[in-house]
Amino acid sequence: MSISVVILAAGQGTRMKSSMPKVLHKISGKSMLFHAIEAAQKLSNDITVVLYHQAEMIKAQIEAKYENINFHIQDAINFPGTGGAMRGVITKNDKTLILNGDMPLVTDEALHKLTGSDADITMSVIMLDNPSGYGRVIIENNSVLEIVEQKDCDHVQLCTKSVNAGVYCVSSKLLNRYIPKLSNANSQKEYYLTDIIKMGVEENITIEPIYVDEEEFKGVNSKIDLAHAEQIHQTRIKNNFMANGVIMRLPETIYIETDVEIEGECIIENGVSLIGKTKIINSHIKSNSVVEDSILEGSDIGPMARIRPQSNLLDTHIGNFVEVKKGILDGVKAGHLSYLGDCTIGSGSNIGAGTITCNYDGKAKYQTIIGKNVFVGSDTQLVAPINIPDNVMIAAGTTVTKDPVSGDLVLSRTPQKSIAGFFYKFFIKS
Ligand code: UD1
Ligand code: MG
């Protein structure tokens, strides 16, 4: 049976204490809302996101990345709350799965548990020793009676350990009937979606509680929740790579974003950050290195190397304190302390310590092209645009401003001069 999905993302998220809408805060490099959209896309092609606070900005971000998402703007002034968010939402299919936009850890497998039942309403329930912060699900003889929000709970209800995870799968017809009937007679003066449960109970509708894992259905309401959710998400990402053969040293110290790919035999050491659309193939990333939006194959980098966006390293050795940006390096050695930006470097070339591609003149960026088998001596500045052909030797301390010819030794040095005995005259009293 086909399912429609509604993602509630109109709330301000005041507990986040941030000017950025809550659902745009990121887990492993991707906003919580995008995690929810991607889980929804695996179940449905009728997805509606409900927005209100900073709606235009969030809508623009979604549209830049995803196609075929419907939007509904909540009338949050007159109808605040999760029930108010559902007012006027039109879904195409017989069943509607409602997700909170602040649940970045939910997987499509877990959602299948809710959509797979014949009940008129299925709802997600978590058993928690510390239920604080969640709506309590009142269950008697295995039947759900109602959901009571924490702020509306009496002393007995507060101790209830079954809580509402915030995901429901409801017959669309029932939703259309119940939502307009919701009231705001509660402590927050909000229209609670959760009140549809009580309405269903009164009409003897079948309501099935589906017990789910706290880890997957965790709602993020504060920066503490955000950090905790990211930790869980990171563990998932890293366990998945290790299960596929990647070696990780002290994995709890490694940060890997959602879109990173790692293939073949790789070693990722402690403190490494792999960011954006990075791809690592048969490579060794040594401790405390950072790689962002780059491809590394058959290479080793670090410790403490930084590979910035649009770099592509093949069979290359990068040592400590080397920064590469938009660098295409094939069969290169750059062992120490260099900045290699906007450059292409060919195989067999050796970049000495302290080499700098001077790519920026204060207005624009320029390219440095280095051919094959070029020996760049230590402390060399390559003032771009510059083209060093194959088989060139650049002496240490040179500032290269003119394109050499293959076979050249290039050097620009002030001739050395020595003054005999000066040391003794200066430092030693006679
Ligand atoms: C909600 C549930 C609670 C459940 C918890 C699970 C209600 C009344 N309460 O509480 O039972 O235990 O989730 O995490 O539903 N939103 C809107 N419009 C609004 C208000 C909220 O779209 O006017 C969206 C938010 O952007 C968010 C989601 O709904 O994505 C949940 O809102 P939130 O304020 O976090 O609800 P909780 O208090 O956590
Ligand atoms: Mg919440």
Side-chain angles (χ1 to χ4, degrees), residues 15 22 100 102 219-221:
R15 289 167 280 179
K22 172 165 82 172
N100 285 351
D102 63 355
V220 172
N221 296 307

Side-chain angles (χ1 to χ4, degrees), residues 2-6 44 46 91-93 95-98 172:
S2 44
I3 302 268
S4 294
V5 179
V6 179
S44 171
D46 178 35
T91 56
K92 294 194 188 115
N93 296 312
K95 282 196 168 192
T96 300
L97 179 76
I98 304 166
S172 303

Side-chain angles (χ1 to χ4, degrees), residues 80-84 86 121 123 135-136 144-149 152 164 168 170 174-175 177-203 207:
T82 48
M86 288 300 295
I121 302 180
M123 56 163 301
R136 309 297 200 271
V144 180
L145 298 184
E146 62 175 327
I147 302 172
V148 187
E149 288 309 295
D152 301 300
N164 170 26
Y168 325 82
V170 188
L174 276 186
L175 263 184
R177 205 147 58 73
Y178 288 167
I179 295 295
K181 288 195 207 159
L182 291 173
S183 93
N184 65 347
N186 52 56
S187 65
Q188 300 189 85
K189 299 276 171 288
E190 285 189 2
Y191 293 81
Y192 294 161
L193 174 60
T194 44
D195 287 345
I196 63 167
I197 301 298
K198 214 165 30 185
M199 293 178 176
V201 169
E202 278 163 15
E203 292 191 355
I207 302 173

Side-chain angles (χ1 to χ4, degrees), residues 7-15 22-23 33 50-53 74-76 79-86 99-103 123-124 126 131 133-137 147-152 163-168 186 188 190-195 217-221:
I7 303 173
L8 305 183
Q12 193 171 8
T14 43
R15 289 167 280 179
K22 172 165 82 172
V23 293
L33 183 55
V50 181
L51 298 171
Y52 174 70
H53 284 283
Q74 180 182 354
D75 177 1
F79 297 98
T82 48
M86 288 300 295
L99 290 178
N100 285 351
D102 63 355
M103 296 185 3
M123 56 163 301
S124 51
I126 321 176
Y134 287 93
R136 309 297 200 271
V137 184
I147 302 172
V148 187
E149 288 309 295
Q150 173 156 317
K151 287 183 179 155
D152 301 300
V163 305
N164 170 26
V167 182
Y168 325 82
N186 52 56
Q188 300 189 85
E190 285 189 2
Y191 293 81
Y192 294 161
L193 174 60
T194 44
D195 287 345
F217 285 76
K218 204 179 150 51
V220 172
N221 296 307

